[in-house]
Amino acid sequence: MSRKPASSKRTTNRLANRHTNRSSNRAASRTSNRSAARKSSYAQEYQELNFRQQEYQHAEYKQSGSLLTTDDLSSLHVGGRDSEQDKQVGPVYGMTKTKRHFIVASVLVIIFLLVVIFGGALVPYNPYAQDLMNARQAPSAAHLLGTDQFGRDLLSRVIEGGKFTVFASLILVAFITLFGGLLGAICGWRGGWLDTLIMRISDVFLAFPGMVFAIAVAGVLTGGLMSAVIALACISWPKYARLVRGLVLSTKNMAYVDAARMSGKKGITILMCDIMPNIAGPIIVTAAIDIGHMIIEIAGLSFLGLGAQVPTPEWGAMMSNGRSLIQLYPWIILAPGTACFIAVAVFNIFADACRDMFDPKIREA
Amino acid sequence: MGAKRGEHIVRVRTKTIGIIFVAAIAVLLLVLVGCASSGSNARSSANSFTYGTTSTWSTENEDHGFNPHNTYCGWTTVRLGVGETLFKFDDDMQIQPWIAQDYTFTDDTTAVITIKDNVCFSNGKKVDGQAVKECLDDLVANHDRAPSDLKIQSIDADGQQVTIHLAEPNPALMYYLSDPYGTIVDMDSECDEHTCVGTGPYVVQSTSGDTVELAKNENYWDGDVHVDHITVRNISDGDTLTMALQNGDIDAAYGIPYLDRALFDNNSGYHISQTATSRVFECAFNYHHSVMQDQNVRRAICMSLSSEEFVDILLDGYGETAVGPFPDTFSFAADPSDAAPYDPDGARQLLEQDGYTDSDGDGYLDKDGQTLEITWLTYPSRQELPQLAEYAQSKLKDVGIKVDVNNTADHRNFVRSDDFDVYASAIVSAPQGDPQYYFTTQYLDSSSYDAGHYSNPQVTADIETLSTTFDTQERSDLARQIQQEVLADNGYYYASFLQMAIVSNNRVSGLEAHPCDYYELTADLRVN
């Protein structure tokens, strides 16, 4: 009946026994007059409950195919659980294909971030300095990506611009993940009127077409990169609130949560120490995918004049400035456009690798 | 069993992929067909014409309407060939008869204008002295600038003659009556944002959003009109305008970005008509802000910017360098020696002498703990202006002045609320070929377009003298003197003049750029 009965049962029993033992010890210290037989009865009841919950999880897993079970997630965060395939030595570097992809993607992201962080020290020219005598120069040995209409070196500006575009995206994703995730977790855990209120507010935000709403907010805030980040944060947090709320709702009645309750933990502690670590996988994957989206959207708002302002070398703003020259001097728009494409590709590859790593079905395939 | 099932799945998938592929091809073909039909719109009718413009009928400007007695709406009326004025300008900006036959000043305060006998409105009604009187009375009663420009006390009409009595001598009266606000329209007919009845070769058929539909005026008094139908589209983005002309959506365009002109230069498929105009790109300093009240700061800004560099490199030579508000083709243009010289090092020294130092080492000068920081307000509809802002931002940074650029279509509200230090804009300085218009709209306390609140008693007195001086040479001398005083104050910075161009495809003839910047669609227009 169960797809992985041996490992699942072992894990369940291990967890249940651990929590049950803790619970029993604390109960014993508080109420010394309770009988050992009664304790044993409780433990057996919860073991049975855990087992039924686990069976239900496996049935759900089989039906949905790609749904991550709490067991899968918990195994990733509670010390990890290597599958048989993972334990096999791969043909290269002794790793599975998924892990190799993940490491390669991580290295790409690290290299990219290093270029963005330290590139400013390596750029050949001051990215802000105008040199009108060299305006609109085609790519050459002196200017590898050419110059713009003000004679500014495009390579220097593209590298400098990465700081604005990429870091604004990372800050934005971090904020909406934490803020939306926190609200979603509270909604899922508390339920009741608070859940209804926050979800209806999120409905309001979701009712508008995202980019149109972002343009309106950025316009009201009179432009600037910070305005663009705030505008995108306004439209993006409900996605995380709903995701985390759903995950919390699906896990809060699971056996290990009951076991944590029985061990005397309080609500917020269970939410933060037991539930959140076990639902982090899908949230991290979603956030990783969103980095690429946010790079595009921040650049989009800047392209429309609602993000970074001149002379900031933000990629969207650079493309906007070069738009009018696309027919005669295409390199002015191609340079930031290509940088944007590479950044999104790198983060999307990383997001795919994260997804594969966190999905036991793919990881073990 | 399993193998058969697998084969079946493969067959089904192959079939599905095939269907999707065929559907995608079909959609692609539909899209291509759709594009093809839209691209050929402009060529669909031999006797129709589609005109794209960045300026006329623009909600961003004050010309979104046809009532000439409302701000700058007269520009739309004249540009689109719907209305005409009593006099018009020739290529040398000298006034010539149009609706009027001639004029005489019987004394300093009385002018008699004779109307041509064969002129009629597009509704067939004859234009006589009474019709002109009613129109001018309404102009003086409703327009914001006309009363102070014209100084009309009363108007009498007798047959084809109109006698204008002035409150005080006004030597520029005929020039002002040639301004688009002087368009003669039938006051007995509807005249509002969407229509008016004028005497031009075209009549307004309909307006919707950014589009105006015009039809041939069957009653046109001055010869044949060769085009039956005209569609005018306001396309505020210059790049879109370029591509619309290239793909055939429009037949001709006003406002092609200067850097895109190279696409049409020496291209046998297109004709470019271009001329220097008096549309000047100028910067007004806000005298209500303390930092701008310091003349050394204003002078340092002027000394940091090079008009030659801006025109030759950033505008790719498609413009004229400026010293004052009038191009050197006018006899009353300012002397180049009156302007502050281009000297960034001198500008820095000037500021340091004024007590500014870079005490915190951030590259910007400061005094009394305040960084020398200014807000540069401009707008995007004239492509030269954002370029000028970014150029100034870099140049002034070299000198030690921090510039925050506010490039917004909502610039008029920022001007009203005084939320700027420098306001860069484009204005036609001599639409009537006379300097008085510019002085009275910019340099006086009562000026309607004195954004920077510039005020100098000597300049005000000189403008008063100019307004009562009839002799042409004396007027030119006075105009030069006034500019000299303003440039000595560093009250304004003048960057360049627009080189106006109308680009049309080979179907079109008779569409020529004019130095006044508001004669565009005329009865000479032909479409092959």
Side-chain angles (χ1 to χ4, degrees), chain B residues 276-321:
Chain B
T277 70
S278 64
R279 184 175 288 281
V280 62
F281 296 97
E282 65 174 24
C283 304
F285 301 120
N286 191 345
Y287 278 69
H288 280 186
H289 287 192
S290 57
V291 68
M292 285 293 117
Q293 286 168 358
D294 185 343
Q295 188 180 352
N296 286 332
V297 173
R298 298 197 304 271
R299 188 166 179 80
I301 292 173
C302 296
M303 289 169 70
S304 305
L305 305 175
S306 165
S307 179
E308 285 79 9
E309 210 170 50
F310 177 63
V311 170
D312 293 344
I313 298 171
L314 290 172
L315 303 189
D316 218 15
Y318 292 107
E320 305 290 335
T321 57

Side-chain angles (χ1 to χ4, degrees), chain B residues 27 44 242 297 306 325 333 451 466:
Chain B
V27 168
S44 57
T242 299
V297 173
S306 165
L466 178 75

Side-chain angles (χ1 to χ4, degrees), chain A residues 209-219 227-228 231-232 235 297 301 306:
Chain A
M211 201 57 183
V212 175
F213 189 49
I215 288 170
V217 174
S227 301
L232 291 171
I235 62 165
E297 295 199 349
L301 284 177
L306 297 167

Side-chain angles (χ1 to χ4, degrees), chain B residues 347-419:
Chain B
R348 176 96 180 190
Q349 286 170 10
L350 194 65
L351 292 171
E352 286 172 349
Q353 287 166 12
D354 202 29
Y356 284 98
T357 55
D358 185 9
S359 60
D360 53 7
D362 65 349
Y364 297 111
L365 297 172
D366 54 80
K367 188 162 78 171
D368 303 329
Q370 293 287 315
T371 301
L372 183 49
E373 183 173 4
I374 60 172
T375 303
W376 187 288
L377 176 66
T378 192
Y379 49 89
S381 64
R382 292 273 171 191
Q383 292 211 352
E384 294 84 349
L385 290 172
Q387 296 270 40
L388 177 62
E390 203 164 348
Y391 166 72
Q393 190 176 46
S394 174
K395 284 288 177 184
L396 294 178
K397 185 184 178 187
D398 293 343
V399 173
I401 301 173
K402 187 175 184 182
V403 177
D404 301 314
V405 174
N406 183 7
N407 177 23
T408 171
D410 191 28
H411 57 108
R412 293 188 196 284
N413 277 329
F414 284 91
V415 170
R416 281 188 208 105
S417 58
D418 257 352
D419 192 3

Side-chain angles (χ1 to χ4, degrees), chain B residues 83 117 264:
Chain B
D117 202 37
F264 305 104

